[in-house]
Amino acid sequence: MTERKGVVTMGGNPITLVGPELKVGDKAPGFVVLDQSLKPVTLKDFAGKVKLISTTPSLDTSVCDLQVHRFNDEAASLPGDVVVLNISMDLPFAIRRFCTTGKIDKVITLSDHRDASFGQNWGVLMKELRLLARSVFVVDKDDVIRYVQVVPEATNHPDYDAALKALKELL
């Protein structure tokens, strides 16, 4: 598995990313993650839809919490052929509690904790921490990546406006 250094820091400390560097125009790699009821979910489950995929290190932090809430608010006004996913290493039970208490009802929140298949296949697994680097991907209906943002400092917010602009250009 490819390892990449010098792409991301966490609290200023260099982190190694495991997996490929995905670029605009690449075919979206497959993955298997878990939903809140421990059911496997794959990229194919969203076939024919435009996808905004947000990844967060942990929903238990303020920046991750705000990131999911911001995308949840935005998702309310998006058409039915668009899905907004958030993937983290949080356990499905913790994700369910977070969504219930935070009233997250538009973003599909998923866990990569079992196999880290999303993190490894999409190149955002932080090796030293076994968490996902903060990132946003926009994938078109044909599963081609149209936008990639891996946030250089994992404790910072993504550029929400740029990600949403890329998403809306596909609608």
Side-chain angles (χ1 to χ4, degrees), residues 2-9 13-19 21 123 125 127-128 152:
T2 305
E3 291 189 1
R4 298 176 293 128
K5 297 181 185 295
V7 179
V8 171
T9 57
N13 298 310
I15 297 292
T16 306
L17 291 183
V18 177
E21 178 184 0
L125 178 63
K127 179 180 178 180
E128 295 83 355

Side-chain angles (χ1 to χ4, degrees), residues 30-33 40-47 85:
F31 57 82
V32 178
V33 293
V41 175
T42 69
L43 181 66
K44 291 178 183 168
D45 291 323
F46 307 104
L85 312 177

